[in-house]
Amino acid sequence: MATTLTTIVTNVRTNLQESTAKLWTDAEIIVHLNAAIKDLWRALNSRYQDFFFATTTAVTYTASAETLSSVPAGVSTILGLELADPTLYPSLVFVYKNYNSIEFQSARAMEDQDPDAMGRVYFCATGAGAPTGAPTIYLAPQLTAALTLRLSYVPVVATLVAANDNPIPGESDRALECYATAYARAKIRDNSAPDPEWLALYATEKVNILDAVAPRQEVTEAVAESIFEEFY
């Protein structure tokens, strides 16, 4: 069962030997916990295991448009794009290509296409993305019909409050405690820097989390397939 930040704050206070707020407020500790959550979110995303995953069918394409509309502001990394109703145009698939690739340039040069006659449509994301703002997603060639699309993506982690649960997998409560303790103790250190011993404990916990969460499944064997495997 997920642990609330309130519980983790209590554990941090035990580390700080301050059960009742004097030098550190709960709000101050929660700021450090949010920083730890975002740091672990970045690290876990590098494992490409969809620990943070969302889909939306609110994304739309207007006929003859260059970009998609209603892209969520929380999109960090795009994982896939497809029709919300795949039966509408069964042969239409969306393939990610760099905006300046030869394929994308050639597709931009085409006249508007009937989606009934199309197989492959290219898309790409530009801009900073979340949390700065929604990325701009370009599409080529342009199509003659409006579409409703399903976008799958990695969402950013929102800034959490005391009542929220720890969203990081891998039994990560202790890692959050160590990170918050290290940065909270900066207030009482002569150089105002985070406590190196607690940071070292956090680093160890972080490595252990990344080791523990992969692989996500053991149903199928992890094997490397050769390029011409299907022809053997």
Side-chain angles (χ1 to χ4, degrees):
M1 184 174 180
T3 307
T4 64
L5 295 197
T6 296
T7 298
I8 299 176
V9 166
T10 299
N11 296 338
V12 172
R13 287 199 174 281
T14 298
N15 299 335
L16 295 171
Q17 300 181 359
E18 184 185 78
S19 57
T20 302
K22 294 178 182 178
L23 286 176
W24 297 279
T25 66
D26 285 358
E28 183 178 356
I29 295 172
I30 288 172
V31 168
H32 298 316
L33 292 178
N34 271 293
I37 287 167
K38 293 178 189 299
D39 183 62
L40 290 171
W41 174 87
R42 288 191 295 264
L44 285 163
N45 280 335
S46 70
R47 290 297 193 261
Y48 305 105
Q49 296 292 315
D50 294 341
F51 294 107
F52 307 98
F53 181 91
T55 64
T56 177
T57 55
V59 176
T60 58
Y61 174 78
T62 303
S64 301
E66 186 180 17
T67 61
L68 303 184
S69 301
S70 302
V71 176
V75 174
S76 169
T77 303
I78 293 175
L79 300 174
L81 184 67
E82 61 184 302
L83 290 169
D85 179 5
T87 64
L88 192 60
Y89 302 107
S91 63
L92 191 62
V93 295
F94 296 87
V95 178
Y96 195 93
K97 287 289 183 182
N98 186 279
Y99 185 84
N100 290 310
S101 66
I102 293 174
E103 295 90 344
F104 214 106
Q105 291 182 47
S106 296
R108 283 200 301 273
M110 297 171 64
E111 295 181 353
D112 292 4
Q113 300 293 306
D114 182 347
D116 263 324
M118 282 301 296
R120 180 173 296 190
V121 174
Y122 299 117
F123 73 98
C124 74
T126 64
T132 302
T136 299
I137 302 178
Y138 288 87
L139 207 69
Q142 296 177 15
L143 304 173
T144 58
L147 304 173
T148 300
L149 302 171
R150 180 186 304 276
L151 178 72
S152 57
Y153 62 97
V154 176
V156 291
V157 178
T159 298
L160 306 181
V161 298
N164 291 136
D165 291 335
N166 173 12
I168 303 298
E171 299 291 347
S172 61
D173 294 353
R174 181 61 174 166
L176 300 190
E177 292 172 23
C178 293
Y179 185 102
T181 302
Y183 278 86
R185 282 182 53 80
K187 181 182 287 189
I188 59 173
R189 287 172 50 79
D190 291 339
N191 60 2
S192 299
D195 189 295
E197 293 183 2
W198 281 101
L199 278 184
L201 290 174
Y202 169 71
T204 299
E205 289 291 327
K206 182 176 180 179
V207 169
N208 291 341
I209 289 168
L210 295 177
D211 287 343
V213 295
R216 291 203 70 177
Q217 60 84 32
E218 294 184 349
V219 178
T220 58
E221 295 182 26
V223 296
E225 296 183 358
S226 65
I227 298 175
F228 302 107
E229 182 86 22
E230 62 185 292
F231 301 109
Y232 290 166

